[in-house]
Amino acid sequence: MNMLTISGSPHLHSDNSTRKIMFGVVVALLPAMLVAVYYFGLGALEVIVLSVFFSVFFEWLIQKYLIKGPLTITDGSAVVTGILLAFNVPSNLPWWMVIIGALVAIGIGKMSFGGLGKNIFNPALVSRVFLLVSFPVAMTSWPKPHPITKVLVDTVTGPTPLGYIKEGLGAGKTLSELIPHLPSYAQQLMGQMGGSLGEVSALAILLGGIYMLWKKIITWEIPVSMLLTVFVFSGILWLINPQHYMDPVFNLLTGGVMLGAVFMATDMVTSPMTRGGQLLFGFGIGLITMLIRVWGAYPEGVSFAILLMNSVVPLINRGFKPRRFGKVKAATVK
C-alpha cells in the first residue's frame, strides 16, 4: 500500500525550480556581459570567468568538507553570485583579489548563513563592500572603455562620471565647467564610460530586466520604486540648484543604480515578500543611495543602500504581512 504524505502549507504548485530561475537570471545577464567584454576587452572576460569558477569551487569545497551536506553547485546560484560579483568590480582587478572576493561572497555572504535561501545579505554585495574597504585603490581604478575591435588590453584608467563630478565639485569647480567633459547621454546609455564592468550599460541592463519581468523571475515593484525615488530626489535637488546638483537622468544612467535596481535589490532571498514591503524596500534603497551620493564620502552608494535595506527586511516583512489564505474581512455591524 502506497503511503500518502501531506506536507505543511502553503500548497502551491509551480513548474519553476531554483535551477530554472537561476539560469534564467544568467540569460538576463548576458547583454550586460557582452557589453562589458566589448568595452573592457579580455580583462572583463578574465574577471567573469575567475569569479564564476571560484564561486562554484568555494561553494563545493565548503559544502563537501565543512558543512558535509548535499552539494547544490548545479542549481546555478553560485554562478549568478559569481557573475554579479564580477559585475561589481573593475575589469582590471588583480586575479587574486577576484578569488578573495569569491571566497568572501560564498563563504561569508552565503554559506555562513546556511546556504541559498538563508542568507540575509546579498552575497555579491557583501564581497563588493569588503573589497572596496580592503583594496580601495584597486577597486576605484577604472579602465577607460574602448571597443574590443580597437584595443584588447586595458591600460588607461580614469574616474567614473560620478567620481569625476564628486572630485570636481570638491575642488571648487562648477558643473558648467565639468559637464562638457562627461560622456553624452547616448554614451552613458550604451555603456561607453568608466565603471564596474557590469554597470556601465543601462540599455543592456534594461533588456535583462525586461526578460526577467517577462519570465516572472522578478516583479516591477522594487526596481520601479527605487528608480523613481532616485529620479524624484535628484530632480528636486536639480530644480533647487542646477549649478550644484546633476539632473535626474544622469543619476539614473551612471553608477550602479540600474544594476542594483534590476539584479541586486530584486534578489528574492534578501527582499520583502509582499508588494507593499517591496515598494518600501525600493524607496529606502533609492533614498539612501541619493543621501550617500550627495552628502556622503563616496560618489556611489547603491551597494551600501541595498545592504542596509537587506538588514531591515525582517522588520518590513513583519509590518507588511501577507493576507492569510481564506481569511475574510470582518463585516461591520451597524
Side-chain angles (χ1 to χ4, degrees):
M1 178 178 177
N2 294 328
M3 298 295 293
L4 180 64
T5 302
I6 300 177
S7 61
S9 62
H11 302 288
L12 294 176
H13 175 73
S14 171
D15 61 351
N16 270 334
S17 64
T18 301
R19 180 183 172 85
K20 189 174 180 180
I21 292 172
M22 290 301 162
F23 283 102
V25 177
V26 172
V27 172
L29 289 165
L30 286 177
M33 196 183 305
L34 293 174
V35 170
V37 174
Y38 178 75
Y39 280 123
F40 298 116
L42 297 180
L45 189 61
E46 179 184 348
V47 168
I48 294 170
V49 171
L50 279 175
S51 182
V52 170
F53 175 82
F54 280 98
S55 292
V56 174
F57 171 72
F58 286 130
E59 183 160 310
W60 170 82
L61 196 68
I62 292 170
Q63 287 182 328
K64 186 171 181 63
Y65 293 104
L66 289 181
I67 297 178
K68 297 181 179 177
L71 300 177
T72 58
I73 57 171
T74 58
D75 64 12
S77 61
V79 175
V80 171
T81 298
I83 297 175
L84 290 177
L85 171 60
F87 275 22
N88 278 278
V89 301
S91 60
N92 60 346
L93 194 69
W95 62 268
W96 57 273
M97 290 187 191
V98 178
I99 295 174
I100 291 175
L103 178 59
V104 172
I106 298 298
I108 298 177
K110 184 177 179 181
M111 302 310 294
S112 64
F113 293 95
L116 181 66
K118 300 174 183 175
N119 51 293
I120 301 172
F121 302 101
N122 186 298
L125 288 181
V126 169
S127 179
R128 199 252 180 190
V129 170
F130 172 84
L131 292 172
L132 182 63
V133 174
S134 303
F135 312 107
V137 175
M139 283 290 289
T140 53
S141 297
W142 313 102
K144 288 187 175 181
H146 297 283
I148 197 171
T149 52
K150 295 182 179 179
V151 62
L152 293 178
V153 181
D154 298 313
T155 55
V156 181
T157 60
T160 64
L162 284 173
Y164 178 74
I165 292 294
K166 192 86 172 182
E167 292 173 8
L169 291 175
K173 296 181 179 179
T174 63
L175 285 183
S176 56
E177 295 176 284
L178 298 171
I179 288 177
H181 302 284
L182 291 174
S184 67
Y185 284 153
Q187 290 173 319
Q188 293 172 16
L189 186 67
M190 298 302 294
Q192 194 173 353
M193 61 180 175
S196 296
L197 63 88
E199 72 181 19
V200 291
S201 175
L203 180 62
I205 294 169
L206 285 175
L207 286 175
I210 292 170
Y211 175 81
M212 291 199 295
L213 286 170
W214 175 51
K215 289 292 185 181
K216 302 186 186 311
I217 296 174
I218 63 171
T219 58
W220 61 269
E221 285 84 359
I222 292 175
V224 170
S225 59
M226 178 182 163
L227 295 176
L228 193 60
T229 302
V230 170
F231 186 87
V232 172
F233 191 105
S234 57
I236 292 172
L237 293 177
W238 179 64
L239 289 174
I240 293 173
N241 188 354
Q243 297 302 316
H244 189 74
Y245 300 108
M246 290 299 293
D247 62 78
V249 176
F250 173 84
N251 277 286
L252 287 179
L253 295 180
T254 57
V257 165
M258 286 290 181
L259 180 66
V262 174
F263 288 108
M264 315 296 286
T266 53
D267 176 12
M268 59 183 67
V269 175
T270 58
S271 59
M273 295 184 292
T274 62
R275 173 173 293 180
Q278 291 170 356
L279 290 172
L280 178 61
F281 183 71
F283 166 77
I285 294 172
L287 179 64
I288 296 172
T289 296
M290 287 310 303
L291 290 175
I292 295 174
R293 280 189 175 188
V294 177
W295 292 290
Y298 289 101
E300 178 60 283
V302 175
S303 300
F304 297 102
I306 294 176
L307 290 176
L308 285 171
M309 290 305 295
N310 284 161
S311 68
V312 298
V313 165
L315 290 177
I316 295 176
N317 283 334
R318 181 181 288 267
F320 292 85
K321 292 180 179 178
R323 192 178 66 177
R324 291 181 182 174
F325 181 74
K327 183 178 181 181
V328 295
K329 188 176 181 180
T332 303
V333 179
K334 295 182 179 179

